[in-house]
Amino acid sequence: MKLSIILFLLFSGFVCGQMNSELLMDDPEFVFPVYPNCKKHIKDNEKLKSCFFKNLYFDLKSLSGPNTKKYTDENNKAQKTTVIFTIDKNGDLTNYRYTEGSNPELAKDFLRQIRDTISYNKKRKKYLIPAKYKGAPVNFNISVSVNGD
């Protein structure tokens, strides 16, 4: 499915369970989760975050087929939704959900695609590295806005 991730929202919309995301992101002892192929940015959280989403978007787009469903409203405008998932302490994705007001069908389809993308990477021996705080892995929630065009 062709999905557009609103890259402009990368700098907002992140949620950290049990900790304030702004404080955590600014803490020098916090390390953003590492997407496969982003290890070279391990010392720079902003580059890690950017690399994470660029690679996730690329993988989602690469694995999407040409016969994709479009999600539009009654005025034929692309519907938007926000999905949230947790990268747990083991680097696995858990706690999939979407925000109130989101298109449930689009959200569920997008979350399925995220799971499929991560599974595909695992089969290729490419794993997510969980976020770390003070050297210890922590659960980290990520929010991504998408539209269904």
Side-chain angles (χ1 to χ4, degrees):
M1 159 184 260
K2 179 185 170 198
L3 293 173
S4 300
I5 297 178
I6 302 172
L7 297 175
F8 301 112
L9 294 178
L10 292 179
F11 300 103
S12 64
F14 294 100
V15 182
C16 299
Q18 300 179 358
M19 295 186 202
N20 183 313
S21 62
E22 291 175 23
L23 295 175
L24 189 60
M25 292 293 293
D26 291 336
D27 192 312
E29 294 192 66
F30 172 76
V31 178
F32 197 81
V34 181
Y35 198 82
N37 302 327
C38 295
K39 290 180 184 176
K40 63 186 171 205
H41 301 299
I42 201 85
K43 301 280 186 196
D44 186 332
N45 272 336
E46 287 301 316
K47 287 183 181 178
L48 266 181
K49 183 169 52 172
S50 177
C51 185
F52 182 99
F53 286 100
K54 285 179 185 177
N55 279 275
L56 176 63
Y57 176 70
F58 178 81
D59 285 351
L60 287 167
K61 193 172 181 182
S62 297
L63 294 176
S64 299
N67 300 323
T68 58
K69 182 175 181 180
K70 295 191 183 275
Y71 295 90
T72 56
D73 64 15
E74 62 276 356
N75 296 321
N76 207 28
K77 291 175 68 178
Q79 292 187 344
K80 296 182 181 178
T81 194
T82 300
V83 299
I84 303 167
F85 55 92
T86 301
I87 300 173
D88 72 11
K89 295 176 184 181
N90 299 316
D92 294 320
L93 299 186
T94 61
N95 202 15
Y96 301 97
R97 58 205 182 280
Y98 50 91
T99 59
E100 187 175 327
S102 293
N103 175 317
E105 190 178 344
L106 171 58
K108 289 174 185 175
D109 192 33
F110 184 61
L111 288 168
R112 179 196 50 78
Q113 287 188 21
I114 290 172
R115 283 191 302 268
D116 291 351
T117 298
I118 299 305
S119 293
Y120 174 77
N121 277 329
K122 282 184 177 181
K123 288 178 186 173
R124 296 173 54 218
K125 306 276 191 243
K126 294 185 174 191
Y127 303 99
L128 287 174
I129 298 172
K132 292 184 179 177
Y133 183 65
K134 295 186 177 183
V138 294
N139 293 342
F140 189 79
N141 296 331
I142 294 185
S143 171
V144 182
S145 295
V146 298
N147 64 38
D149 62 354

